[in-house]
Amino acid sequence: MQVLTTKENLVRQVEACLRQNKTIGLVPTMGALHEGHAALVRRSVSENDVCVVSVFVNPTQFNNKEDLQKYPRTLEKDVELLTQLGAHFVFAPSAEEMYSAEEMNTEFAFDFNGLDKVMEGKMRPGHFNGVVQVVSRLFELVRPTRAYFGEKDFQQLAIIHHMVERSSMKDNFGDLQIMDCPIVREASGLALSSRNQRLSEEEKTIALNISKTLFASLEWAKTATVAEVEKRVIDTINAVDGLEVEYYEIVDRTTLQPTTTFQNAIGCITVYCGPVRLIDNIQY
Ligand code: PAF
């Protein structure tokens, strides 16, 4: 496996692969890899001739400087894991390599068709502009056949589908297929996240109440309305010492707009466990 740190070297390798008609799988990550990422990489390795994993903590998608500073960075360990998993290339550029000074300091313009106005987008203004900026750049550099994303960041995934399938940028990406990959959970139910590394053992136990409540809500949904289920989920989690719900919204899976039925619905939640912001979701 080769670690590449410049766009020029990456493009050279990609062009060599494309000349040989090889299919390329891309797994974009911000590093601090866990079993959830490993599942994406395994799938990419098994479905493509070549697997490229990007490891880049993208500064333009952080609207909170402290969150960016505290984001775990474990490149050496990540490279070890990716070698074991059979990835072929790791692309780990610096911010200066990825962006010009102007790009770093100007919000990336993109028409989200309203997908950025709810939930994560509402709480973290500009976050998805940064995500689209980095993901579109990675797609243009790597020219993947398939790109793999976890369903834990469901709104991000919906926005990436929009970018590739319906937005004015869609022609830049050829026949790229976006591969949705299910949430990977610990045996306890806790959704895997790089941010879990910042939880103490006690906080991890407390955080279990998030997935436990979401699973229980599948039962509640059999006899209650959407509004009642939303309220019960929020009240149940807020009743746990150490947890505070930022939002819980049951929305349509495609439009991400609030819905009053459980058909094609997904419940998306963000909860603070101490200072750590955790997200999860459940499909009804
Ligand atoms: O989901 C993530 O880890 C990031 O948002 C992504 C897609 C790698 C872009 O920086």
Side-chain angles (χ1 to χ4, degrees):
M1 190 182 73
Q2 285 188 51
V3 180
L4 310 168
T5 54
T6 66
K7 289 183 284 195
E8 195 185 331
N9 279 344
L10 174 66
V11 168
R12 191 174 309 129
Q13 296 294 345
V14 163
E15 283 177 349
C17 294
L18 294 178
R19 271 198 301 275
Q20 297 168 62
N21 283 327
K22 290 187 170 164
T23 55
I24 303 178
L26 170 67
V27 184
T29 81
M30 297 207 297
L33 303 180
H34 50 65
E35 201 36 51
H37 297 109
L40 307 183
V41 175
R42 277 191 204 101
R43 200 167 153 196
S44 168
V45 167
S46 78
E47 293 177 352
N48 302 278
D49 298 322
V50 173
C51 171
V52 179
V53 180
S54 60
V55 174
F56 177 59
V57 182
N58 173 32
T60 66
Q61 70 186 75
F62 285 81
N63 57 338
N64 177 335
K65 274 216 166 76
E66 199 186 323
D67 201 20
L68 172 61
Q69 271 158 13
K70 290 206 169 141
Y71 203 86
R73 289 162 172 85
T74 57
L75 184 62
E76 220 171 287
K77 242 176 97 198
D78 294 344
V79 167
E80 225 171 84
L81 175 67
L82 293 170
T83 307
Q84 282 167 23
L85 291 170
H88 301 85
F89 298 103
V90 175
F91 179 50
S94 64
E96 293 71 27
E97 175 66 19
M98 263 319 243
Y99 300 124
S100 66
E102 196 190 334
E103 286 171 333
M104 276 282 262
N105 297 312
T106 321
E107 188 171 272
F108 186 79
F110 182 71
D111 180 3
F112 290 89
N113 198 24
L115 293 173
D116 64 328
K117 295 285 177 280
V118 293
M119 303 188 292
E120 285 300 285
K122 196 156 79 182
M123 297 301 164
R124 304 173 69 188
H127 165 66
F128 286 120
N129 299 73
V131 170
V132 168
Q133 179 180 33
V134 73
V135 172
S136 61
R137 172 128 322 156
L138 289 168
F139 287 173
E140 283 158 8
L141 292 169
V142 178
R143 290 187 269 163
T145 319
R146 300 180 187 85
Y148 296 79
F149 294 89
E151 287 181 338
K152 186 169 80 67
D153 296 293
F154 189 82
Q155 189 170 5
Q156 167 173 283
L157 188 52
I159 286 173
I160 290 166
H161 274 287
H162 167 70
M163 174 178 103
V164 169
E165 291 153 20
R166 297 181 293 275
S167 81
S168 58
M169 289 176 92
K170 70 179 192 307
D171 293 340
N172 300 358
F173 309 122
D175 290 333
L176 166 60
Q177 260 180 286
I178 301 301
M179 312 301 284
D180 303 3
C181 303
I183 296 179
V184 179
R185 297 181 181 278
E186 287 187 359
S188 62
L190 182 66
L192 294 191
S193 163
S194 304
R195 289 193 162 90
N196 293 358
Q197 292 184 16
R198 291 173 52 201
L199 297 173
S200 66
E201 281 312 308
E202 192 194 345
E203 283 170 334
K204 266 193 167 182
T205 310
I206 293 171
L208 295 185
N209 288 287
I210 304 168
S211 54
K212 204 172 127 201
T213 308
L214 293 182
F215 289 129
S217 77
L218 293 176
E219 268 314 295
W220 305 340
K222 290 180 182 162
T223 52
T225 66
V226 165
E228 285 163 352
V229 170
E230 281 177 340
K231 182 171 179 333
R232 190 161 171 193
V233 166
I234 293 170
D235 291 348
T236 306
I237 295 177
N238 279 342
V240 178
D241 232 11
L243 293 183
E244 197 183 335
V245 176
E246 186 175 61
Y247 64 81
Y248 180 59
E249 288 186 34
I250 297 175
V251 297
D252 179 88
R253 282 174 58 89
T254 317
T255 64
L256 303 183
Q257 297 307 309
T259 176
T260 51
T261 84
F262 287 105
Q263 229 166 21
N264 198 39
I266 183 161
C268 298
I269 196 159
T270 293
V271 180
Y272 276 96
C273 180
V276 186
R277 195 170 180 275
L278 299 173
I279 72 172
D280 201 344
N281 63 64
I282 190 98
Q283 317 226 7
Y284 290 99

